[in-house]
């Protein structure tokens, strides 16, 4: 998968799925309210646009929140380094093979996290 082409929202959603261990395919954890319905028991919530389309939003925003990303970075031993390459940051897993560079250090770290988990 080409993580560089993913939006921050796509990365947040993918990370949220991994962290909370749920998939979008689960249809048993819905609760309904007047505004539509909310997906509970996982890392996602959604409100339907119409009868056929649903917009999913992640429970956490690790590409923009240090509070959300910090525990993931620490628990997965992802390192961040400042780079001289156009103000980019390098995120790296301890195996030295899983590396990504981005101007947003959190995005770089979450892409490395997805790369690490992609083989599972």
């Amino acid at each position: 998968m080409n993580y560089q082409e993913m939006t921050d929202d796509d990365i947040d959603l993918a990370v949220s799925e991994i962290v909370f261990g749920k998939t979008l395919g689960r249809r048993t954890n819905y609760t309904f309210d007047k505004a539509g319905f909310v997906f509970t028991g996982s890392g996602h919530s959604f409100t339907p646009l119409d009868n056929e389309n649903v917009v999913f939003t992640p429970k956490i925003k690790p590409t923009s929140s240090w509070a959300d990303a910090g525990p993931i970075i620490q628990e997965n031993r992802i390192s961040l380094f400042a780079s001289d390459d156009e103000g980019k940051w390098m995120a790296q897993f301890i195996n030295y093979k899983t590396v990504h560079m981005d101007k947003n250090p959190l995005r770089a770290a979450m892409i490395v996290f997805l790369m690490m988990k992609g083989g599972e």
Side-chain angles (χ1 to χ4, degrees), residues 83-88 103:
S83 171
D84 291 336
D85 186 18
E86 300 174 15
K88 291 184 178 180
K103 290 188 178 188

Side-chain angles (χ1 to χ4, degrees), residues 1-56:
M1 175 172 279
N2 189 349
Y3 298 109
Q4 291 178 332
E5 293 179 5
M6 294 174 72
T7 67
D8 284 356
D9 286 339
D10 292 337
I11 291 170
D12 290 341
L13 190 58
V15 169
S16 185
E17 273 194 1
I18 292 169
V19 169
F20 292 99
K22 305 290 181 183
T23 63
L24 296 178
R26 289 195 174 204
R27 300 276 180 206
T28 58
N29 294 329
Y30 292 168
T31 57
F32 297 85
D33 62 20
K34 292 180 183 177
F37 41 95
V38 178
F39 191 69
T40 60
S42 81
H44 317 332
S45 63
F46 64 88
T47 303
L49 292 173
D50 55 39
N51 291 336
E52 296 178 8
N53 297 309
V54 175
V55 175
F56 290 89

Side-chain angles (χ1 to χ4, degrees), residues 31-97:
T31 57
F32 297 85
D33 62 20
K34 292 180 183 177
F37 41 95
V38 178
F39 191 69
T40 60
S42 81
H44 317 332
S45 63
F46 64 88
T47 303
L49 292 173
D50 55 39
N51 291 336
E52 296 178 8
N53 297 309
V54 175
V55 175
F56 290 89
T57 57
K59 182 175 181 180
I60 57 174
K61 296 280 197 176
T63 60
S64 60
S65 169
W66 283 97
D68 289 342
I72 297 168
I73 292 168
Q74 182 179 359
E75 290 170 16
N76 291 279
R77 302 181 70 186
I78 298 170
S79 300
L80 287 169
F81 303 93
S83 171
D84 291 336
D85 186 18
E86 300 174 15
K88 291 184 178 180
W89 287 82
M90 180 176 70
Q92 173 182 302
F93 180 58
I94 58 173
N95 68 1
Y96 304 106
K97 296 177 185 173

